[in-house]
Amino acid sequence: MPNGGMDCCGNCSYNRAVQEMVHPHSDRHDRFGELSHCVIRDANITHPFWTYCRNFRHTQHPEELNCGEAPRGWIYASGLFEGYVRIPWNGNNEPYVLVSVECSVCGRQTQEGIMVEHESMEIGFCSNYHYVQWWKTIHEDDSIDTAHFEIPPER
């Protein structure tokens, strides 16, 4: 189990993979990944044990859930390691971490950055701070704050 918390999509009853398989077995881990899809957000979940949202629910009988629940808040991914942080997805577009990018904010090149799709373009960031700073220009949500992220020169 990853140390990112038990409240991940890999344990959530709204994940189609959990509904069909309950938990990934070592011989069927790939199948669990293929099936991972949030049924209330209609979003594919490529890293179910490192993805989160406020709708997390764990029940003994996930197949019996009423999927009429409305999505609350954003989907989150584990960001670049600065301790442990979560960064919001760009709608249903997952930010990919630890990828080679040129930061669209400061121009810094890094082998361990963040990339996200926005309006059919891939945009790169050198840090959680720059990603969330950009994200806030697209999404209005005062609950997301850059204050707890490291400023890039400190990384």
Side-chain angles (χ1 to χ4, degrees), residues 20-77:
E20 293 186 24
M21 297 178 65
V22 183
H23 292 291
H25 304 283
S26 59
D27 61 333
R28 301 195 64 208
H29 188 74
D30 290 342
R31 181 70 178 142
F32 189 88
E34 291 168 7
L35 287 173
S36 286
H37 183 91
C38 179
V39 298
I40 61 173
R41 294 174 184 272
D42 192 25
N44 288 325
I45 308 297
T46 59
H47 301 288
F49 291 98
W50 295 99
T51 306
Y52 314 86
C53 84
R54 289 182 39 207
N55 290 94
F56 174 81
R57 178 167 307 158
H58 183 74
T59 68
Q60 292 293 335
H61 302 284
E63 69 282 357
E64 297 174 5
L65 275 180
N66 174 0
C67 293
E69 183 172 347
R72 292 180 289 150
W74 305 98
I75 302 172
Y76 289 85

Side-chain angles (χ1 to χ4, degrees), residues 4-152:
M6 293 297 293
D7 62 331
C8 63
C9 294
N11 293 322
C12 182
S13 297
Y14 289 119
N15 181 348
R16 185 175 296 135
V18 172
Q19 291 175 355
E20 293 186 24
M21 297 178 65
V22 183
H23 292 291
H25 304 283
S26 59
D27 61 333
R28 301 195 64 208
H29 188 74
D30 290 342
R31 181 70 178 142
F32 189 88
E34 291 168 7
L35 287 173
S36 286
H37 183 91
C38 179
V39 298
I40 61 173
R41 294 174 184 272
D42 192 25
N44 288 325
I45 308 297
T46 59
H47 301 288
F49 291 98
W50 295 99
T51 306
Y52 314 86
C53 84
R54 289 182 39 207
N55 290 94
F56 174 81
R57 178 167 307 158
H58 183 74
T59 68
Q60 292 293 335
H61 302 284
E63 69 282 357
E64 297 174 5
L65 275 180
N66 174 0
C67 293
E69 183 172 347
R72 292 180 289 150
W74 305 98
I75 302 172
Y76 289 85
S78 293
L80 297 172
F81 187 76
E82 325 177 332
Y84 179 75
V85 298
R86 295 178 182 183
I87 57 175
W89 282 27
N90 183 34
N92 276 4
N93 295 315
E94 175 182 7
Y96 293 94
V97 299
L98 300 175
V99 294
S100 179
V101 298
E102 179 178 330
C103 184
S104 65
V105 175
C106 70
R108 178 178 162 207
Q109 302 251 352
T110 180
Q111 298 297 312
E112 297 181 350
I114 300 170
M115 188 280 300
V116 71
E117 186 176 316
H118 182 70
E119 296 179 349
S120 300
M121 296 181 349
E122 292 181 346
I123 304 173
F125 304 92
C126 66
S127 63
N128 297 315
Y129 182 88
H130 278 171
Y131 171 72
V132 173
Q133 187 179 44
W134 167 85
W135 185 92
K136 289 177 69 64
T137 68
I138 308 300
H139 306 281
E140 292 187 30
D141 187 336
D142 292 333
S143 70
I144 309 286
D145 189 6
T146 58
H148 65 280
F149 297 118
E150 292 178 13
I151 297 172

